[in-house]
Amino acid sequence: MPQDQIIKDPSKLLEELENLHPSDIANSLKKIEKHSEDDFFFVLKKLPDDILGEVLLELPENLRENAYSELTIEQLTEAVDELESDDQTDIIQELEEFDEEKAKEIYDGLEAEDQKEIDWLKTYEEDQAGSYMQTELFSANLNETIKASLDRLTEGKARDELENIHQVFIVNDDKKLIASILLEDLIIIDFKKTYAEVLSEYDENRFSPFVVQDKDDIDDVAKKFEKYDLNVVAVVGYQDMLMGRITSDDILDVIEENATEQMYQLAGVDDDFEHEDNLFATAKKRAMWLCLNLGTAILASLVIGIFDETIQAYVALAILMPIVASMGGNAGTQTLAVMVRQLALGNIELEHARDAVKKEVIIALFNGLLFAIIMGVIAWVWFDEKLLGLVIGLSMILNLFSAGFFGASIPLILKKFDIDPAIGSTVLLTTVTDIVGFFSFLMLAKVILL
Amino acid sequence: MPQDQIIKDPSKLLEELENLHPSDIANSLKKIEKHSEDDFFFVLKKLPDDILGEVLLELPENLRENAYSELTIEQLTEAVDELESDDQTDIIQELEEFDEEKAKEIYDGLEAEDQKEIDWLKTYEEDQAGSYMQTELFSANLNETIKASLDRLTEGKARDELENIHQVFIVNDDKKLIASILLEDLIIIDFKKTYAEVLSEYDENRFSPFVVQDKDDIDDVAKKFEKYDLNVVAVVGYQDMLMGRITSDDILDVIEENATEQMYQLAGVDDDFEHEDNLFATAKKRAMWLCLNLGTAILASLVIGIFDETIQAYVALAILMPIVASMGGNAGTQTLAVMVRQLALGNIELEHARDAVKKEVIIALFNGLLFAIIMGVIAWVWFDEKLLGLVIGLSMILNLFSAGFFGASIPLILKKFDIDPAIGSTVLLTTVTDIVGFFSFLMLAKVILL
């Protein structure tokens, strides 16, 4: 049983290869590379073909690209040849962006059948189900006997072409997907029967397969997995022909990546630029977001600038004003995080938008009142001025209300226009809470205090 | 094949029950409930026992609790009886918090065997593997023939006790888990053999099972699933006895929940309090976080207060100071989101902490310099004062540097002390960036301009 094992010694790693999962080999290589790049390449080149590919896939992108440079075309071709079709396609595509020449030579070195599959899989967009599927699966013709299909399964497994099999997909002569029988059901049926015979003995819905279209969005596929507790879905394409399958381990990765993306978007970070060895590229991408925020901040400062005489007259205002803006920003962020996440999980629908906004506004008024009182008293005591307490109290209610209202509305409006709510919500909201915060506070101060 | 179907008409829903997945029935009920609570209860009571339990599980918590009130003890007992052991335990535990009397009566109405299993599963903490496992699995004794075990499988499936079976777990007479054979391997072996014979014919590692301990943290189990692309793990307990199994669909849910939790923690929101029908409870929990932030904001204002004469002398400072604090806050949030997420995914280890901090500091200095120049020029032009541009420029570099440094260090330090980095990082960081922002700006202004 694979343990969580990381081996930092190159020679020891090579000895233990047989007992380690590719994931652990990759993690060990990561550690080795930090100490010595030479050792890293040394071990890499000695990896047997049948695991080299899998290990490459588990390495972080920067190390994988180093490996592309160091390994020979022969070695890479052998390694890619051993992989399943979806992984082959991923590596070839990545290689093409990195070193087009090398990618072509490796592609040319593969079997014609593999080449055809890669060509096909490459036609899919990054977010389509087709780009996540593998073409390797256990299928059988309606008129085949179970025994005959199991013989093919035995062969396929012996050739390491089939693994992770949980069901047989039954197709007709046009390769159209008819049914799917789980192995747990198949194993207790008489093997001498043909699949057509088996299907005729049961209700037509008994072996209905879970199916997605090859052009479906992978996020919708992931939602189906979660909703129906699936392990595998069949992927069909043109005229419902069986193209491939997607397994739950791929979906696990999709879900993690989506979660990371959402979290990053709320903070103004782009996951695609965060793994660069090139820190300049990362800094540049973050700078774009910071630039937007700078614009927001300057807008807010322009608003403060309108009240320069007010502040001059009463400097306590300059001391207290960041508090109101800050509280608005924090409350707004709470609302935003909840709205964006619940929208993404499909727990809020646009038709119930009004309920969602209403809920956030009520919470906002609760807390607005609470902190209006708290801060009102603090300001009153701090500066010995009752009206200042009133000003900051009123301003707090106004700002927290608008934080709740816009924090809920902005994501819903963006979603309505089919824009990803996570992107841009934060900037728009901060603009609102800062401007409302400073304006309400200083205007109320001008009117009430002066 | 289940489609994404939501039926809003109660009578039509009841007609279509056979063709709908419990998840879709639950979603339809959610819609029906929004229009008429009576219709909701009407349909609920008419659901057949074998799906009532599954539908209840798919409902949101508040509706499920309403159902607990409305349904009779007999109905609930029948429904719970049909569920698998982990789901039975979840419902009983939830019911106990809601209506202890009713929970007891339902528990008493279950079979003794189910009661024993529920008692056992209840002993596990919420975050332990044991609380996620189901005791239903396909196991066989070493000395059993494959044929005999398959007969038991047939019976188990006929009684609806076994489903989602992908392998057979082989145990010895002490119920200790010895091996696990996937159905894809089992189906092509001679059924007349005993399991002991089969195992003796292969290398001892060939059928090594993936195993976790019942007391393992479920997050570690989830990481194993992701790392090794698993479908199922066996759960063992005392003396490696086979206790149950965890399937990938449960792990999908765990991963989604963890992601939601992280995102919320960064924003100061607690997921456990966000689904309340009781908005007051939600508002109160959010208020606790806002209170912390208020404290931070007041601290920052105290810092501003030190420089009240400086501001009085040059009001442009009051207009510009929020910009520096705001940029620091935004840059710090970027760093924080990346650090917290990468730590959670296990991509950063504490021993490489220094590299991570170094990387963030370099990015911070890049952007610090960039925005120092941009804002310096803007301030110079806006207020026609070159030195003001210098002040804000220097302050920007200082604040962005500290945002990057502390944004990276704080999560690492919290992690080192085994505190969840997501909680509290934001507050600590905002404290730093606000105070450093205001202090550096106003102090430099005092020294350079006045």
Side-chain angles (χ1 to χ4, degrees):
Chain A
M1 174 183 75
Q3 298 287 355
D4 213 27
Q5 284 167 342
I6 297 187
I7 300 177
K8 300 190 198 181
D9 177 78
S11 336
K12 192 153 187 294
L13 177 59
L14 287 167
E15 279 169 39
E16 293 293 314
L17 281 183
E18 264 191 37
N19 300 327
L20 292 174
H21 191 278
S23 179
D24 290 320
I25 299 173
N27 280 330
S28 306
L29 280 170
K30 268 167 76 176
K31 295 249 174 226
I32 290 173
E33 196 268 352
K34 285 206 187 295
H35 287 121
S36 154
E37 206 180 28
D38 287 336
D39 281 347
F40 169 71
F41 289 134
F42 173 71
V43 174
L44 202 61
K45 291 179 189 176
K46 284 203 179 301
L47 292 178
D49 298 327
D50 59 344
I51 61 169
L52 175 56
E54 308 242 6
V55 171
L56 281 176
L57 287 168
E58 300 273 354
L59 287 173
E61 196 178 322
N62 55 333
L63 290 187
R64 191 163 52 244
E65 292 184 346
N66 293 350
Y68 290 156
S69 308
E70 268 299 305
L71 294 167
T72 65
I73 289 172
E74 290 73 31
Q75 245 183 324
L76 283 169
T77 310
E78 289 298 322
V80 171
D81 180 62
E82 294 282 334
L83 292 173
E84 286 172 335
S85 49
D86 56 339
D87 294 329
Q88 284 181 332
T89 313
D90 287 342
I91 294 227
I92 293 288
Q93 280 184 315
E94 196 179 61
L95 213 44
E96 281 173 349
E97 290 180 31
F98 182 71
D99 180 344
E100 214 178 324
E101 279 274 331
K102 205 163 191 175
K104 179 134 196 1
E105 294 202 47
I106 292 168
Y107 173 87
D108 287 341
L110 297 172
E111 291 171 21
E113 209 177 295
D114 286 349
Q115 287 178 344
K116 261 180 36 187
E117 278 175 1
I118 292 172
D119 289 342
W120 177 245
L121 290 177
K122 270 169 72 177
T123 62
Y124 291 109
E125 303 278 331
E126 204 182 331
D127 55 355
Q128 288 179 328
S131 72
Y132 283 84
M133 74 179 179
Q134 43 181 225
T135 52
E136 292 80 2
L137 45 75
F138 177 37
S139 65
N141 186 284
L142 268 175
N143 299 316
E144 212 177 348
T145 60
I146 301 179
K147 176 81 177 61
S149 69
L150 290 180
D151 288 339
R152 282 192 299 101
L153 176 63
T154 315
E155 279 176 50
K157 283 168 66 60
R159 286 198 308 262
D160 268 332
E161 272 171 18
L162 289 177
E163 59 177 17
N164 206 13
I165 303 298
H166 304 292
Q167 71 255 80
V168 55
F169 294 108
I170 300 160
V171 294
N172 64 13
D173 292 331
D174 297 320
K175 294 276 193 264
K176 181 177 163 174
L177 178 61
I178 304 296
S180 148
I181 303 182
L182 295 170
L183 288 188
E184 68 183 270
D185 293 318
L186 195 66
I187 201 169
I188 50 184
I189 295 176
D190 181 359
F191 288 179
K192 293 196 288 294
K193 294 189 173 159
T194 66
Y195 284 103
E197 286 167 358
V198 173
L199 291 180
S200 67
E201 291 169 20
Y202 289 87
D203 183 83
E204 64 171 17
N205 285 327
R206 177 79 175 78
F207 296 120
S208 211
F210 279 95
V211 165
V212 297
Q213 298 290 327
D214 55 349
K215 294 204 173 19
D216 283 348
D217 188 304
I218 191 64
D219 290 342
D220 293 331
V221 175
K223 284 203 175 80
K224 269 201 173 136
F225 265 83
E226 285 181 279
K227 195 173 171 191
Y228 298 119
D229 288 343
L230 302 175
N231 276 303
V232 180
V233 287
V235 183
V236 298
Y238 178 65
Q239 292 198 334
D240 280 348
M241 281 173 62
L242 179 61
M243 308 256 93
R245 61 173 181 156
I246 296 176
T247 48
S248 63
D249 51 280
D250 290 319
I251 295 301
L252 275 182
D253 293 335
V254 167
I255 290 177
E256 280 284 37
E257 280 167 26
N258 283 355
T260 303
E261 206 178 83
Q262 267 191 5
M263 204 179 302
Y264 280 14
Q265 278 170 353
L266 280 176
V269 174
D270 189 333
D271 193 27
D272 291 337
F273 289 80
E274 284 294 323
H275 300 288
E276 305 293 306
D277 270 346
N278 178 1
L279 291 182
F280 181 64
T282 312
K284 212 170 79 163
K285 200 67 171 103
R286 293 203 197 171
M288 284 165 66
W289 177 260
L290 291 176
C291 225
L292 264 175
N293 276 291
L294 185 65
T296 300
I298 291 175
L299 259 175
S301 284
L302 285 168
V303 166
I304 301 173
I306 300 171
F307 297 93
D308 53 354
E309 290 173 3
T310 318
I311 295 174
Q312 192 102 49
Y314 195 13
V315 86
L317 298 178
I319 296 172
L320 289 177
M321 67 183 188
I323 294 179
V324 183
S326 160
M327 290 298 281
N330 285 318
T333 302
Q334 287 179 324
T335 300
L336 206 60
V338 173
M339 290 300 297
V340 165
R341 184 62 175 163
Q342 295 304 315
L343 275 169
L345 293 177
N347 293 340
I348 298 178
E349 280 139 58
L350 284 179
E351 5 172 290
H352 299 302
R354 243 187 333 170
D355 291 338
V357 176
K358 213 170 74 175
K359 170 181 168 180
E360 287 297 329
V361 164
I362 292 174
I363 293 173
L365 287 173
F366 263 145
N367 285 332
L369 199 61
L370 172 69
F371 287 101
I373 295 171
I374 294 178
M375 205 49 223
V377 168
I378 291 177
W380 175 7
V381 166
W382 187 348
F383 293 98
D384 196 25
E385 173 58 71
K386 194 163 46 185
L387 288 175
L388 184 58
L390 178 68
V391 165
I392 203 170
L394 287 173
S395 168
M396 185 73 76
I397 294 174
L398 263 164
N399 203 16
L400 253 53
F401 166 80
S402 70
F405 180 75
F406 288 104
S409 309
I410 288 172
L412 288 167
I413 294 172
L414 288 179
K415 176 102 183 170
K416 184 145 194 174
F417 287 103
D418 233 8
I419 304 171
D420 193 327
I423 306 174
S425 287
T426 327
V427 174
L428 287 170
L429 185 66
T430 332
T431 316
V432 168
T433 54
D434 279 354
I435 290 180
V436 169
F438 290 130
F439 186 84
S440 64
F441 181 64
L442 294 170
M443 179 59 105
L444 283 165
K446 183 168 177 171
V447 162
I448 293 179
L449 279 166
L450 305 165
Chain B
M1 175 183 74
Q3 299 287 355
D4 212 28
Q5 285 166 345
I6 296 186
I7 300 177
K8 300 191 196 179
D9 176 44
S11 335
K12 192 152 185 294
L13 176 58
L14 287 168
E15 281 171 34
E16 293 290 320
L17 280 184
E18 264 194 37
N19 300 327
L20 293 173
H21 191 277
S23 179
D24 289 320
I25 299 173
N27 280 332
S28 305
L29 281 170
K30 268 167 73 175
K31 296 249 173 227
I32 290 174
E33 198 268 351
K34 285 205 187 292
H35 287 120
S36 154
E37 205 180 29
D38 287 335
D39 282 347
F40 169 70
F41 290 132
F42 173 72
V43 174
L44 202 60
K45 290 179 188 175
K46 284 202 178 297
L47 291 178
D49 298 327
D50 58 343
I51 61 169
L52 174 57
E54 307 242 7
V55 172
L56 282 175
L57 287 168
E58 300 274 355
L59 287 173
E61 197 177 325
N62 55 332
L63 291 187
R64 191 163 53 243
E65 292 185 344
N66 294 349
Y68 289 155
S69 308
E70 269 299 306
L71 295 167
T72 64
I73 289 174
E74 291 74 31
Q75 245 183 323
L76 282 168
T77 309
E78 288 299 322
V80 171
D81 179 62
E82 295 281 336
L83 293 173
E84 287 172 336
S85 48
D86 54 340
D87 293 328
Q88 284 181 331
T89 313
D90 287 342
I91 293 224
I92 293 287
Q93 282 183 314
E94 196 178 60
L95 213 44
E96 281 174 351
E97 288 180 34
F98 182 71
D99 182 345
E100 214 176 326
E101 279 275 330
K102 206 163 191 176
K104 180 135 197 3
E105 295 202 45
I106 291 167
Y107 174 86
D108 288 339
L110 298 171
E111 291 172 22
E113 208 177 291
D114 287 348
Q115 288 178 343
K116 261 181 33 185
E117 279 177 2
I118 292 172
D119 289 342
W120 176 246
L121 290 178
K122 269 169 75 178
T123 63
Y124 291 109
E125 304 274 333
E126 204 183 330
D127 55 354
Q128 287 179 327
S131 72
Y132 284 84
M133 75 179 179
Q134 43 182 227
T135 52
E136 293 82 0
L137 45 76
F138 178 36
S139 65
N141 186 282
L142 267 174
N143 299 316
E144 212 177 349
T145 60
I146 300 179
K147 177 79 179 63
S149 68
L150 290 180
D151 288 339
R152 281 192 299 102
L153 176 63
T154 314
E155 280 174 51
K157 286 169 66 63
R159 286 199 307 264
D160 268 333
E161 273 171 17
L162 288 178
E163 59 175 17
N164 205 11
I165 303 297
H166 305 289
Q167 73 256 77
V168 55
F169 294 107
I170 301 159
V171 294
N172 64 13
D173 292 330
D174 296 320
K175 295 275 193 267
K176 180 178 164 174
L177 178 61
I178 305 295
S180 147
I181 303 182
L182 296 170
L183 290 187
E184 69 183 89
D185 293 317
L186 195 64
I187 200 169
I188 52 184
I189 295 177
D190 179 359
F191 289 178
K192 293 196 287 296
K193 294 192 174 160
T194 66
Y195 283 104
E197 286 168 359
V198 173
L199 290 180
S200 68
E201 290 170 20
Y202 289 87
D203 183 82
E204 63 170 17
N205 285 327
R206 176 79 176 78
F207 296 120
S208 211
F210 279 95
V211 164
V212 297
Q213 298 289 328
D214 55 349
K215 295 203 167 27
D216 283 349
D217 188 307
I218 192 64
D219 291 342
D220 292 333
V221 176
K223 283 203 175 81
K224 269 198 174 142
F225 265 83
E226 286 182 278
K227 195 173 172 190
Y228 299 119
D229 290 341
L230 302 175
N231 276 304
V232 179
V233 287
V235 182
V236 299
Y238 178 65
Q239 291 198 336
D240 279 347
M241 280 172 62
L242 179 60
M243 309 254 93
R245 61 173 181 156
I246 296 176
T247 48
S248 62
D249 51 282
D250 290 319
I251 296 299
L252 275 183
D253 294 335
V254 167
I255 290 178
E256 280 283 36
E257 280 168 27
N258 283 355
T260 302
E261 207 178 83
Q262 269 193 358
M263 205 178 299
Y264 281 14
Q265 278 170 352
L266 279 177
V269 174
D270 190 333
D271 193 27
D272 292 336
F273 290 80
E274 284 294 323
H275 300 287
E276 306 294 307
D277 270 346
N278 178 2
L279 291 182
F280 182 64
T282 312
K284 212 170 81 162
K285 200 68 170 97
R286 294 204 197 169
M288 285 166 65
W289 177 260
L290 292 176
C291 225
L292 262 174
N293 276 293
L294 184 66
T296 300
I298 291 175
L299 257 176
S301 284
L302 284 169
V303 166
I304 302 171
I306 300 172
F307 297 92
D308 54 351
E309 291 173 1
T310 317
I311 296 172
Q312 193 103 50
Y314 195 15
V315 85
L317 298 178
I319 297 172
L320 289 177
M321 68 184 187
I323 295 179
V324 183
S326 159
M327 290 298 282
N330 286 317
T333 302
Q334 288 179 324
T335 299
L336 206 59
V338 173
M339 289 300 297
V340 165
R341 184 62 176 163
Q342 294 304 315
L343 274 169
L345 293 176
N347 293 339
I348 298 179
E349 279 139 61
L350 284 177
E351 5 173 286
H352 299 303
R354 239 182 341 166
D355 291 338
V357 175
K358 215 168 75 176
K359 171 182 168 179
E360 288 297 328
V361 164
I362 293 175
I363 293 171
L365 287 172
F366 263 145
N367 286 333
L369 199 61
L370 172 69
F371 288 101
I373 294 171
I374 294 176
M375 205 49 222
V377 168
I378 291 177
W380 175 6
V381 166
W382 187 348
F383 293 97
D384 195 24
E385 174 58 72
K386 191 162 49 184
L387 286 177
L388 184 58
L390 178 67
V391 164
I392 202 169
L394 286 174
S395 166
M396 186 74 76
I397 294 175
L398 263 164
N399 203 18
L400 254 53
F401 166 81
S402 71
F405 179 75
F406 288 103
S409 309
I410 288 172
L412 288 168
I413 294 172
L414 289 179
K415 176 100 182 170
K416 184 145 192 172
F417 287 103
D418 234 7
I419 305 171
D420 194 324
I423 309 174
S425 287
T426 326
V427 174
L428 286 169
L429 186 66
T430 332
T431 316
V432 168
T433 54
D434 279 354
I435 291 179
V436 169
F438 290 130
F439 187 83
S440 63
F441 181 64
L442 294 170
M443 179 60 105
L444 283 166
K446 182 166 177 173
V447 162
I448 295 181
L449 280 166
L450 305 166

